[in-house]
């Protein structure tokens, strides 16, 4: 019934259309209102195509211009010219863009429309910005802002502020750029302009990325991404994902970068945005280049190049050629690299993109340097320098000075080399470019090596190393370590040379391992993607069959309606006979088509079934391999555990029986020691099994507290000194390393679990080291607390190193004589992660292993100096008045009890305001100030107290005893501070130290 109704409705539509087609020739033509309506519609379509980066936008804008001119609608003609100008600007055709903007500007100026004129000034600013004429761009942006201020169009201020920020960014004035972007952000937030907020957040992220403030860059990119997702702004989401992906690539997180670029690419496909797709392809190509996957990199760069060519975006086409040149450079095909660079320069010259031209000239110089053609290299560096100076690009100028200095080193002209390198140092210092400064220091070291001044060379290499470590540029760190090793070898200081070479090898291994992990991760991701695509294709095929069936049904119904319409025009008799014939034919056709469909579907299902059988067969084979491997591990583990448990049990039972048959005290003692040792072995095995079970069931609890590190490490040294003697390894030396400056430190962690980790590592070191030394201890590296255990034992074979943390796994060189369950390192890794740290190792077979356990020092892992009180000198604070500002009653009661013991007079205030008021009313000798107080915090309260009487000492107390808290306390006027939790002795010691003495 519904189908018949649908057919009837369609038939009525046909009749209406037929009736309309025979309307009177005297019908009224389209009026002016219709023309205006059509132009408005065409204008909306053109803008819609423009914002979607659709190539049809230009054709629509030209059509709008032609029709507007024919209809004498000059405002629409001016709008069309503006739109064409913006499109030409995107495509890099600056001359056509200028002409279009001029045409539009003349009209708006003639009608004195200041709103549109302000927009045109913005477009002129953008035009000059693209030409790298930043001074002129800045003038136009400011003109636009002035007009907007006259109109009080505060929302449009945000666009101008973002544009002015872009000018400051390109001229390396990053502080000013941040100021403009923040102004734009505040205005966009005020007007709830979500898209504008996203733009400003991304701009702030890009600026912080440029000045190496990575944490802030990630924060702002994530804020932009979150806001875009909350408001379903797909274009903004895609852009933010691309920005985050590029940043992750610079940080070396290649798989994360690929994942983010892929998400952005999918969104651009959804939007049909060729520009977005091309940007993601180009970024992915850059990631694969970083991973030395040159084939994938070239593939993605060409995908991007194809799309940018369709969009006629010359600036981005030039960037693709530049990237292709970099790939050829990394493949050591320097001539091909130069060819690609020259294509890039040709395009940047066409659009007047001076900054891009300057950068590519510098890259050509690098290629000629590799070809040992120093003259051509110098010529291209000087060309780049000339352009960089013309656009006042300080960062680019500094890079050119560095490159030219390197050329003069090669030419043995040391005076000129030193001059240019020092010029680069000065600019990099002024602009805060730590990466550039590190590279220059490296080149200065090379200069002084050539001049045989090794002390100066070492000085600059260490400076370069410090900067490289600060910004975590591992390639530069490795290069510095290698150069330092070579210099000390030349000085015959082989110990220092070896030390630096070891550090070089460590960093090189990290880079290599990271690259390998990225490669493996990419392969896994591709496998998952391929599996998903197969499933999607199967689903799409089924959907296609359904849609085809529906299409055929619709076509059949439409055909029937047409036939019915013809029959209505003819006689009813013919209609009746025709229907009878048609029904017969229809039934016959339906039977034939149904049979064909059935045969086609049967063939397709057969193919799909074969594919599914193959897929499931492969999955079953993989599952079978995993099951067999698990069964082998289980069998091996049970056999190993049976041996490990029965061996000590056999000794315990055997010697227990022997004790019953002897009266000798010496034998009793001997048997008791054997039973005790084997009991400890058995207990260790049981504990390992219980621990791994609790870890896997997530029932293991971490109990943190403050404890001193040195006693724990000293205890372990003594235990394993005894252990090595018991194991008959007297040739092994055990050395404990604790630097003097951190000898008395305490940490907030789980002492038992930390000790368990170190015991496992030391036990392995003893087990696998027959001679040589075991070196363990602690060190603080920047904001990390690192424990280490190094040995000179048998090491771990390379083929086993990837499996060393797996349960029940043991290295292939761990024979029967070494024993063990294979759980120690698994437990240690899990415990380290539960404590918030990380564990890693390096090992060379037959040379030894080095294990590291590292924790970030933050509010959860507090490192503080141990306070040593005075002995045999009882304190007496009789007559001393102490004001205690503490909002938690239990904390005050504890402090009060401690101070009562030394006869102090204590006054309590529960908030910051009360503390200031009580300080004014009474005379106090000392104030104990909690930082986290209600009403006003401890910082503000301290400032008020110091205004009244700066001589009264204020001791701050806080749970935040690290990083910048101590600086904040000092700035507020605090004389000292103590970290919570503290002991009675520590509290009294700091009060005694700061209590004023009587004259």
């Amino acid at each position: 019934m519904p189908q018949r109704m649908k057919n009837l409705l369609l038939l009525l539509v046909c009749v209406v259309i037929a009736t309309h087609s025979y309307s009177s020739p005297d019908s009224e033509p389209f009026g002016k209102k219709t023309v205006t309506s059509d132009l408005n519609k065409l204008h909306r379509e053109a803008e819609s195509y423009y914002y979607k980066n659709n190539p049809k936008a230009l054709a629509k804008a030209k059509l709008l211009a032609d029709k507007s001119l024919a209809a004498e609608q000059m405002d629409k003609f001016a709008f069309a010219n503006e739109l064409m100008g913006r499109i030409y600007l995107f495509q890099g055709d600056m001359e056509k863009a200028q002409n279009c903007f001029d045409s539009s500007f003349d009209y708006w100026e003639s009608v004195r429309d200041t709103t549109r004129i302000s927009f045109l000034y913005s477009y002129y600013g953008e035009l000059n910005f693209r030409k790298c004429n930043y001074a002129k761009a800045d003038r136009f942006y400011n003109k636009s802002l002035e007009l907007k201020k006259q109109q009080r169009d505060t929302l449009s201020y945000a666009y101008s502020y973002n544009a002015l920020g872009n000018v400051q960014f390109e001229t390396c004035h990053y502080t000013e750029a941040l100021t403009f972007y923040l102004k734009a952000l505040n205005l966009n937030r005020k007007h709830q302009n979500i898209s504008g907020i996203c733009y400003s957040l991304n701009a702030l992220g890009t600026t912080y990325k440029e000045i190496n403030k990575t944490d802030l860059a990630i924060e702002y990119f994530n804020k932009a991404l979150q806001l875009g997702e909350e408001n379903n702004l797909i274009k903004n989401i895609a852009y933010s994902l691309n920005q985050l992906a590029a940043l992750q690539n610079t940080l070396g997180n290649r798989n994360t970068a690929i994942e983010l670029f892929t998400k952005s690419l999918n969104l651009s496909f959804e939007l049909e945005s060729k520009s977005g797709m091309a940007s993601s392809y180009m970024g992915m190509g850059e990631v694969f280049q970083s991973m030395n996957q040159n084939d994938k990199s070239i593939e993605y760069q060409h995908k991007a190049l194809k799309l940018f060519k369709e969009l006629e975006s010359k600036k981005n086409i030039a960037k693709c050629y530049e990237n292709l040149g970099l790939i050829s450079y990394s493949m050591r095909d320097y001539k091909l690299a130069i060819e690609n660079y020259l294509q890039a320069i040709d395009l940047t010259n066409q659009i007047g993109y001076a900054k891009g031209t300057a950068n590519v000239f510098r890259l050509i110089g690098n290629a000629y340097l590799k070809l040992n053609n120093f003259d051509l290299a110098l010529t291209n560096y000087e060309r780049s320098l000339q352009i960089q100076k013309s656009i006042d690009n300080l960062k680019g100028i500094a890079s050119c000075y560095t490159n030219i200095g390197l050329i003069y080193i090669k030419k043995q002209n040391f005076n000129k080399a030193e001059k240019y390198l020092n010029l680069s140092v000065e600019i990099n210092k002024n602009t805060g470019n730590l990466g550039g400064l590190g590279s220059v220091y490296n080149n200065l070291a090379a200069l002084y090596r050539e001049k045989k001044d090794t002390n100066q060379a070492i000085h600059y290499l260490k400076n370069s190393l410090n900067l490289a470590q600060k910004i975590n540029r591992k390639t530069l760190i490795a290069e510095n370590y290698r150069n330092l090793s070579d210099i000390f070898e030349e000085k015959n200081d082989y110990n220092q040379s070896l030390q630096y070479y070891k550090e070089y090898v460590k960093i090189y291994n990290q880079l290599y391992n990271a690259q390998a992990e990225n490669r493996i991760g990419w392969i896994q991701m591709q496998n998952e993607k391929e599996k998903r695509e197969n499933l999607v294709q199967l689903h799409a095929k089924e959907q296609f069959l359904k849609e085809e069936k529906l299409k055929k049904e619709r076509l059949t119904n439409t055909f029937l309606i047409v036939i019915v319409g013809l029959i209505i025009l003819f006689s009813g008799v013919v209609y009746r006979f025709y229907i009878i014939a048609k029904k017969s034919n229809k039934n016959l056709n339906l039977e034939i088509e149904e049979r064909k469909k059935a045969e086609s579907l049967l063939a397709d299902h057969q193919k799909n079934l074969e594919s599914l059988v193959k897929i499931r067969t492969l999955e079953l084979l993989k599952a079978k391999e995993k099951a067999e491997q698990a069964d082998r591990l289980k069998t091996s583990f049970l056999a190993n555990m049976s041996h490990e448990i029965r061996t000590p049990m056999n000794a315990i039972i055997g010697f227990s029986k022997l004790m019953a048959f002897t009266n000798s005290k010496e034998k009793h003692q001997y048997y008791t020691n054997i039973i005790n040792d084997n009991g400890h072995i058995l207990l260790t095995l049981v504990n390992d099994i219980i621990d791994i079970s609790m870890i896997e069931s997530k029932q293991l609890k971490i109990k943190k507290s403050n404890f001193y590190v040195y006693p724990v490490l000293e205890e372990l040294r003594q235990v394993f000194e005894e252990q090595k003697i018991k194991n008959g390894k007297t040739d092994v030396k055990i050395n404990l390393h604790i630097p003097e400056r951190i000898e008395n430190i305490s940490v907030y962690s789980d002492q038992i679990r930390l000790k368990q980790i170190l015991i496992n590592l030391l036990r392995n070191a003893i087990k696998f080291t027959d001679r040589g030394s075991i070196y363990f201890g602690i060190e603080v590296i920047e904001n990390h607390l690192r424990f280490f255990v190094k040995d000179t034992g048998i090491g771990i074979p390379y083929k086993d190193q990837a499996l060393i943390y797996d349960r029940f796994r043991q290295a292939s060189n761990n024979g029967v004589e070494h024993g063990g369950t294979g759980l120690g390192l698994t437990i240690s890794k899990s415990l380290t992660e539960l404590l918030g740290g990380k564990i890693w190792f390096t090992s060379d077979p037959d040379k030894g292993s080095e294990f590291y356990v590292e924790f970030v020092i933050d509010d959860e892992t507090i490192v503080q100096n141990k306070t040593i009180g005075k002995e045999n000198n009882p304190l007496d604070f009789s007559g001393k008045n102490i004001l205690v500002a503490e909002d938690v009653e239990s904390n005050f009661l504890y402090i009060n009890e401690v101070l009562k013991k030394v006869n102090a007079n204590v006054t309590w205030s529960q908030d910051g305001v009360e503390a200031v008021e009580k300080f004014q009313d009474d005379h106090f000798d000392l104030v104990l100030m909690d930082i986290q107080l209600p009403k006003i915090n401890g910082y503000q309260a301290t400032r008020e107290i110091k205004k009244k009487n700066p001589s009264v000492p204020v001791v701050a107390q806080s749970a935040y005893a690290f990083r910048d808290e101590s600086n904040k306390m000092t700035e507020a006027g605090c004389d000292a501070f103590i970290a919570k939790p503290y002991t009675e002795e520590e509290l009294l010691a700091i009060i005694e130290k700061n209590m004023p003495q009587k004259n």
Side-chain angles (χ1 to χ4, degrees), residues 3 544-560 590 592-594 596-598 600-601:
Q3 185 63 41
F544 175 73
L545 288 172
K546 289 179 183 177
E547 289 174 0
E548 283 296 307
K549 187 176 179 181
L550 287 171
K551 280 181 185 178
K552 286 179 181 178
E553 287 177 358
R554 292 193 195 103
L555 285 170
T556 303
N557 290 334
T558 305
F559 183 67
L560 284 173
L590 283 173
I592 292 168
E593 287 197 10
E594 286 296 326
K596 286 180 179 178
K597 286 178 190 174
S600 175
L601 285 171

Side-chain angles (χ1 to χ4, degrees), residues 922-939:
D922 292 305
H923 170 73
F924 290 98
D925 297 289
L926 183 138
V927 179
L928 187 62
M929 178 69 68
D930 184 44
I931 293 303
Q932 302 294 326
L933 289 176
K935 295 186 179 178
I936 63 171
N937 61 35
Y939 298 126

Side-chain angles (χ1 to χ4, degrees), residues 390-633:
S390 70
I391 61 174
D392 196 29
N393 182 10
L394 295 177
K395 193 173 180 181
I397 293 169
S399 297
C400 290
Y401 281 149
T402 303
N403 293 132
I404 292 170
L406 188 59
I407 289 290
Y408 281 120
I409 292 174
K410 297 283 187 184
K411 289 188 160 196
Q412 300 289 301
N413 190 336
F414 300 137
N415 291 334
K416 278 196 173 183
E418 189 168 9
K419 170 191 166 185
Y420 279 105
L421 292 175
N422 284 328
L423 285 170
S424 181
V425 167
E426 185 179 350
I427 293 173
N428 282 311
K429 281 183 177 178
N430 291 336
T431 57
N433 182 9
L434 300 184
L437 191 58
S439 297
V440 183
Y441 283 153
N442 196 308
N443 286 335
L444 278 166
L447 170 65
Y448 283 106
R449 281 186 73 183
E450 290 290 332
K451 293 172 72 174
K452 308 301 181 186
D453 189 344
T454 53
N455 290 332
Q456 277 291 82
I458 291 168
H459 166 74
Y460 279 113
L461 281 173
K462 287 183 175 179
N463 283 345
S464 178
L465 179 61
N466 289 336
L467 291 170
Q469 288 171 335
K470 189 175 290 186
I471 60 175
N472 197 28
R473 185 177 289 178
K474 289 188 177 178
T475 51
L476 185 57
I477 294 170
E479 187 178 347
N480 283 318
Y481 277 136
R482 181 62 185 264
N483 289 338
L484 282 166
S485 174
D486 291 344
I487 287 178
F488 280 106
E489 184 180 6
E490 291 168 5
K491 293 181 69 177
N492 297 326
D493 189 344
Y494 298 113
N495 287 333
Q496 277 280 53
S497 176
L498 179 61
Q499 191 65 31
Y500 281 119
Y501 192 77
K502 283 182 178 179
E503 294 295 332
Y504 160 72
V505 170
K506 193 186 299 180
I507 295 293
Y508 179 83
N509 286 338
Q510 287 176 15
L511 290 168
Y512 179 81
N513 291 338
Q515 186 179 348
E517 287 172 10
N518 285 326
R519 182 72 175 178
I520 292 165
W522 163 249
I523 292 168
Q524 290 172 343
M525 195 159 56
Q526 286 296 98
N527 288 338
E528 290 297 321
K529 182 181 175 185
E530 190 175 336
K531 191 183 289 182
R532 286 197 301 271
E533 285 176 351
N534 287 336
L535 292 172
V536 168
Q537 285 174 2
L538 286 172
H539 176 71
K541 204 164 191 177
E542 292 175 3
Q543 199 67 25
F544 175 73
L545 288 172
K546 289 179 183 177
E547 289 174 0
E548 283 296 307
K549 187 176 179 181
L550 287 171
K551 280 181 185 178
K552 286 179 181 178
E553 287 177 358
R554 292 193 195 103
L555 285 170
T556 303
N557 290 334
T558 305
F559 183 67
L560 284 173
I561 291 165
V562 172
I563 297 301
V564 170
L566 291 172
I567 291 169
I568 290 171
L569 297 174
F570 294 100
S571 66
V573 177
V574 175
Y575 166 78
R576 185 171 296 176
F577 281 105
Y578 182 79
I579 285 296
I580 293 167
K582 182 64 184 174
K583 281 184 178 178
S584 300
N585 290 333
K586 178 187 174 185
N587 291 334
L588 184 60
N589 287 334
L590 283 173
E591 285 179 13
I592 292 168
E593 287 197 10
E594 286 296 326
R595 186 175 296 172
K596 286 180 179 178
K597 286 178 190 174
E599 289 173 356
S600 175
L601 285 171
L602 185 62
D604 288 342
H605 280 303
Q606 186 174 355
K607 288 179 183 176
N608 290 341
L609 187 60
E610 288 173 358
S611 299
L612 286 171
V613 167
K614 287 179 181 178
I615 291 169
R616 288 177 183 173
T617 303
L618 288 172
E619 289 175 349
L620 286 170
L621 285 171
K622 289 179 182 176
K624 181 185 174 187
E625 287 175 5
K626 287 183 180 177
E628 287 174 349
Q629 185 182 25
D631 187 56
R632 286 196 299 273
L633 281 173

Side-chain angles (χ1 to χ4, degrees), residues 724-725 727-733 770:
K724 77 170 187 181
I725 294 169
N727 292 352
K729 299 198 175 184
T730 53
D731 292 337
V732 178
K733 292 182 180 179
D770 292 328

Side-chain angles (χ1 to χ4, degrees), residues 348-359:
T348 55
N349 283 335
Q350 286 179 34
I351 60 175
Y353 182 40
K355 187 176 180 181
T357 303
N359 186 54

